[in-house]
Amino acid sequence: AQKITQTQPGMFVQEKEAVTLDCTYDTSDPSYGLFWYKQPSSGEMIFLIYQGSYDQQNATEGRYSLNFQKARKSANLVISASQLGDSAMYFCAMREGKDSSYKLIFGSGTRLLVRP
Amino acid sequence: NAGVMQNPRHLVRRRGQEARLRCSPMKGHSHVYWYRQLPEEGLKFMVYLQKENIIDESGMPKERFSAEFPKEGPSILRIQQVVRGDSAAYFCASSLEGINQPQHFGDGTRLSIL
């Protein structure tokens, strides 16, 4: 079974609007962490935001926020006031607490294109 | 405050040659991870190392691939007798201890096999 599922291969958004990128996960471990990374066309991986399974509040970092719905096992990334520079691939990833290596398990990504 | 440094950025090898990819973690980070990314796919875990120890190599192919993180110097991912299927982007990441600590990635090495 897929541990991390990103069902949107590609998304468009108009500049200055908000966009939600979907991510669902599958784990039986009560302790886990969820991460979002951005990969621009230049190829580097940029850490955006983190949500812990025990966190009571949704994580926010500037224009990025995480809509964490634990019962639904979803951790959607919301980007507010989209900018042209937000055009990139976005990856959702999970770490499980039972896994002592804390390796990241990545989804297949969503390509976001911001239209001027 | 240097981030994760990977070199080379691009590497071209002929089939049968060896590829050596280097990674220097962020200052103060003792956990190093290697991932592989095929075109249009997410990153796949290969190996996790701490200084002088391989902790988890469950994602490494059984043959031709090896990794090390010596006491002094960078971590090395070594691919012997490369084949066309090894063409990919290889990313190194480092982190502090803890499930909530993000992994910080280098810019990757793009390996092309002729």
Side-chain angles (χ1 to χ4, degrees):
Chain A
Q2 292 270 32
K3 290 263 188 178
I4 294 283
T5 303
Q6 294 181 254
T7 56
Q8 306 153 312
M11 290 277 288
F12 289 96
V13 65
Q14 205 65 34
E15 193 179 7
K16 299 180 185 174
E17 292 185 349
V19 63
T20 298
L21 306 183
D22 294 343
C23 173
T24 57
Y25 59 91
D26 182 24
T27 182
S28 57
D29 192 338
S31 174
Y32 53 88
L34 298 157
F35 301 79
W36 277 91
Y37 286 84
K38 173 184 178 181
Q39 186 176 39
S41 57
S42 47
E44 68 270 30
M45 293 288 288
I46 302 166
F47 165 69
L48 295 178
I49 195 166
Y50 163 81
Q51 180 82 47
S53 58
Y54 295 119
D55 292 345
Q56 295 298 312
Q57 294 193 323
N58 287 344
T60 60
E61 287 287 348
R63 293 186 300 110
Y64 304 109
S65 60
L66 209 151
N67 184 1
F68 182 45
Q69 299 191 36
K70 198 169 181 177
R72 294 185 179 183
K73 294 190 174 178
S74 74
N76 299 338
L77 177 70
V78 180
I79 306 174
S80 62
S82 298
Q83 302 172 356
L84 295 178
D86 294 334
S87 293
M89 282 290 286
Y90 288 82
F91 291 99
C92 180
M94 177 175 68
R95 256 176 166 172
E96 294 174 301
K98 67 183 178 186
D99 180 353
S100 59
S101 78
Y102 292 157
K103 60 180 174 284
L104 288 171
I105 303 165
F106 283 86
S108 55
T110 295
R111 185 176 300 279
L112 177 67
L113 185 60
V114 181
R115 289 171 166 153
Chain B
N1 194 12
V4 178
M5 304 299 291
Q6 282 188 255
N7 67 82
R9 189 76 194 269
H10 299 276
L11 182 61
V12 180
R13 285 286 177 267
R14 296 189 181 280
R15 282 178 293 171
Q17 291 184 323
E18 178 179 289
R20 292 171 73 90
L21 288 61
R22 295 173 184 76
C23 169
S24 296
M26 282 181 72
K27 190 174 182 180
H29 287 189
S30 58
H31 301 251
V32 168
Y33 301 80
W34 285 93
Y35 294 85
R36 177 164 63 178
Q37 184 181 33
L38 296 172
E40 302 302 316
E41 292 188 11
L43 279 67
K44 297 286 194 295
F45 168 77
M46 299 181 75
V47 63
Y48 160 53
L49 311 101
Q50 295 182 21
K51 281 287 186 183
E52 299 186 278
N53 286 305
I54 297 174
I55 308 300
D56 181 354
E57 56 181 348
S58 58
M60 286 275 272
K62 293 286 184 280
E63 297 177 350
R64 302 188 297 108
F65 285 71
S66 62
E68 62 177 13
F69 188 17
K71 189 176 179 182
E72 302 289 340
S75 175
I76 306 286
L77 179 67
R78 183 181 177 207
I79 311 172
Q80 295 178 289
Q81 299 173 333
V82 295
V83 301
R84 287 252 170 88
D86 296 334
S87 295
Y90 292 82
F91 286 92
C92 171
S94 72
S95 75
L96 296 170
E97 177 90 28
I99 191 173
N100 63 336
Q101 295 296 325
Q103 292 181 13
H104 296 274
F105 284 79
D107 288 344
T109 294
R110 274 86 187 150
L111 176 64
S112 298
I113 309 302
L114 301 179

